[in-house]
Amino acid sequence: MKMITDRMSMPYFALGVLALAMGIIPLNDALIKLMSGDVSLGQLVALRAGMTLIMLGIFSRSIQAMFALPAKVFWLFFARSMCLVLAMVLFFVSLGTLPLANVIAIFFVSPLIITILSVPFLGEKIGLHRLAAVSAGMAGVLFIIRPGGVQFQVETLFVVMSAFSYAAFQIWTRRLKSVGNLSGMVAVQHICYLTIGALFMLVNMIWPVDQSGNPTIDFLLRAPSLMSLTNLGYLVICSFSVLLLSYASSNAYRSVEASVIAPFEYVAIPFGVFWGVVIWDEWPDQMVMIGITLILAGGLYTLYRENVQSIDVITSSPMPATAAIVEPADAAPQDMDVKAPNQKELGKKIRPKRIKPIKSDNSAV
């Protein structure tokens, strides 16, 4: 077990698992879009969260780890997770109207936002090359949204707001890298999903909205209903994919520099196009393809400039992230302080092995 947990905490392994999860997650989005014509968003979110929590209780010690968290840490995790819940609601609401590939591509302005926010909030450096890559990605988003054009849809703004909320969630995750543990963090995340989904269901039961003619409004405000076996099967697949992404994303952002992780998330874009074509025959038009190309080019060029093996990844801050997945919850400290440990002292004890010589810590890429 120790070998497994040690490997999971390795930065390059964490990045590989994140890339795999980001390749699978568009299937979750496609299945949600398929169900949006029959089931309300609140019902899907609540049921998916319930299934995921059951899986966490069976296959991990996340629930025990959550109850072992100090109250202050729990509420920090809760507030952080609400950023993700808001991002999820805005993202899925837009799926009722917009093509899957467009939604996923627009949403991927979030890694660019993370790269920018990593400067004031994480103290990271961004040079001219990365700024150029971010600018290319932002231009790609404009090609897809086409503000002021005939084909502009207001739901695209929901996706942009979703991207900002997701960026805040990941930056917050990074700031909490030395607080609590990954298992407890993931459990709190799905408690937030369950809470918001249940609230939506309650509102939908009290004030249901009949067919309005707008797929987005119907998806958000439709009354709860019995689900078919097919939809329940879809929901199980969604639960597994989201659970994988929850662990992969949180683990990666707590182990590796945020601006290094961002390009790995672009794996989801071509898979979003694939599922849109296979299920709905939604072929992106020329403008959307130009936008997708710019977003991918910006991300890949950022990856090239960063050169993962040359970056001083944050492994000198010990964080009981993966250990709590397989070890008893009571093995974790019960009096964890919310403050991160002194980085200089820890750096003397544990230094990551560098494969190549690197520049000064103050140099911009």
Side-chain angles (χ1 to χ4, degrees), residues 32-43:
I32 292 290
K33 182 175 175 64
L34 273 175
M35 293 184 284
S36 66
D38 303 314
V39 189
S40 68
L41 176 60
Q43 184 174 355

Side-chain angles (χ1 to χ4, degrees), residues 9-251:
S9 64
M10 292 174 60
Y12 308 121
F13 184 85
L15 289 174
V17 174
L18 177 64
L20 173 65
M22 293 306 298
I24 294 175
I25 203 65
L27 176 59
N28 168 81
D29 303 334
L31 295 178
I32 292 290
K33 182 175 175 64
L34 273 175
M35 293 184 284
S36 66
D38 303 314
V39 189
S40 68
L41 176 60
Q43 184 174 355
L44 288 176
V45 172
L47 290 176
R48 189 185 68 174
M51 288 182 179
T52 304
L53 286 169
I54 291 173
M55 294 177 194
L56 287 174
I58 295 174
F59 298 110
S60 76
R61 298 185 179 274
S62 293
I63 305 300
Q64 298 95 315
M66 179 184 68
F67 284 115
L69 293 173
K72 189 172 183 178
V73 174
F74 174 87
W75 290 113
L76 279 173
F77 285 179
F78 190 88
R80 158 202 173 271
S81 298
M82 280 301 175
C83 293
L84 181 62
V85 171
L86 176 60
M88 175 273 305
V89 170
L90 292 170
F91 181 91
F92 286 143
V93 163
S94 65
L95 280 176
T97 303
L98 300 175
L100 178 66
N102 292 28
V103 174
I104 292 178
I106 295 170
F107 178 77
F108 270 84
V109 71
S110 57
L112 307 177
I113 298 171
I114 292 169
T115 300
I116 295 171
L117 293 181
S118 66
V119 176
F121 291 104
L122 302 179
E124 297 177 9
K125 297 285 186 178
I126 298 180
L128 291 177
H129 289 272
R130 279 198 282 176
L131 282 176
V134 168
S135 299
M138 293 292 186
V141 172
L142 291 178
F143 268 98
I144 299 172
I145 294 178
R146 283 169 267 189
V150 176
Q151 296 181 333
F152 172 75
Q153 293 176 275
V154 69
E155 287 83 2
T156 57
L157 299 181
F158 294 162
V159 190
V160 175
M161 289 187 287
S162 173
F164 272 94
S165 186
Y166 177 78
F169 160 78
Q170 292 293 14
I171 290 292
W172 204 337
T173 298
R174 186 69 173 159
R175 292 293 296 269
L176 294 175
K177 66 180 181 292
S178 298
V179 178
N181 59 71
L182 175 61
S183 299
M185 177 182 280
V186 171
V188 172
Q189 184 172 302
H190 291 287
I191 288 292
C192 291
Y193 277 133
L194 181 62
T195 301
I196 296 302
L199 287 175
F200 266 99
M201 285 185 66
L202 180 62
V203 171
N204 292 347
M205 284 189 291
I206 298 175
W207 297 291
V209 174
D210 294 329
Q211 295 294 326
S212 66
N214 186 310
T216 297
I217 294 176
D218 292 342
F219 186 32
L220 186 62
L221 302 178
R222 181 185 294 117
S225 60
L226 290 175
M227 296 179 62
S228 67
L229 290 177
T230 300
N231 285 340
L232 286 174
Y234 290 162
L235 204 56
V236 171
I237 297 173
C238 290
S239 299
F240 274 109
S241 62
V242 169
L243 187 58
L244 173 62
L245 182 62
S246 295
Y247 274 111
S249 182
S250 294
N251 186 45

Side-chain angles (χ1 to χ4, degrees), residues 5-6 8-9 61 181-183 319-328 331:
T5 56
D6 287 344
M8 289 179 66
S9 64
R61 298 185 179 274
N181 59 71
L182 175 61
S183 299
M319 216 297 297
T322 53
I325 298 175
V326 295
E327 294 179 3

Side-chain angles (χ1 to χ4, degrees), residues 329-351:
D330 54 11
Q334 299 297 312
D335 56 348
M336 288 179 287
D337 191 88
V338 177
K339 295 182 180 179
N342 185 292
Q343 300 294 322
K344 292 184 179 179
E345 293 180 1
L346 290 170
K348 295 177 182 178
K349 298 178 181 178
I350 305 175
R351 297 297 299 173

Side-chain angles (χ1 to χ4, degrees), residues 249-310:
S249 182
S250 294
N251 186 45
Y253 271 92
R254 290 162 71 104
S255 303
V256 186
E257 185 180 338
S259 54
V260 175
I261 297 169
F264 281 81
E265 300 192 337
Y266 288 92
V267 173
I269 295 180
F271 279 92
V273 175
F274 171 78
W275 289 115
V277 171
V278 169
I279 299 175
W280 297 280
D281 197 27
E282 294 176 343
W283 290 90
D285 61 27
Q286 186 176 12
M287 294 289 283
V288 172
M289 287 304 299
I290 292 174
I292 290 175
T293 301
L294 285 171
I295 293 171
L296 283 171
L300 292 174
Y301 186 68
T302 301
L303 176 60
Y304 168 75
R305 289 295 303 177
E306 299 276 330
N307 190 353
V308 179
Q309 293 184 348
S310 297

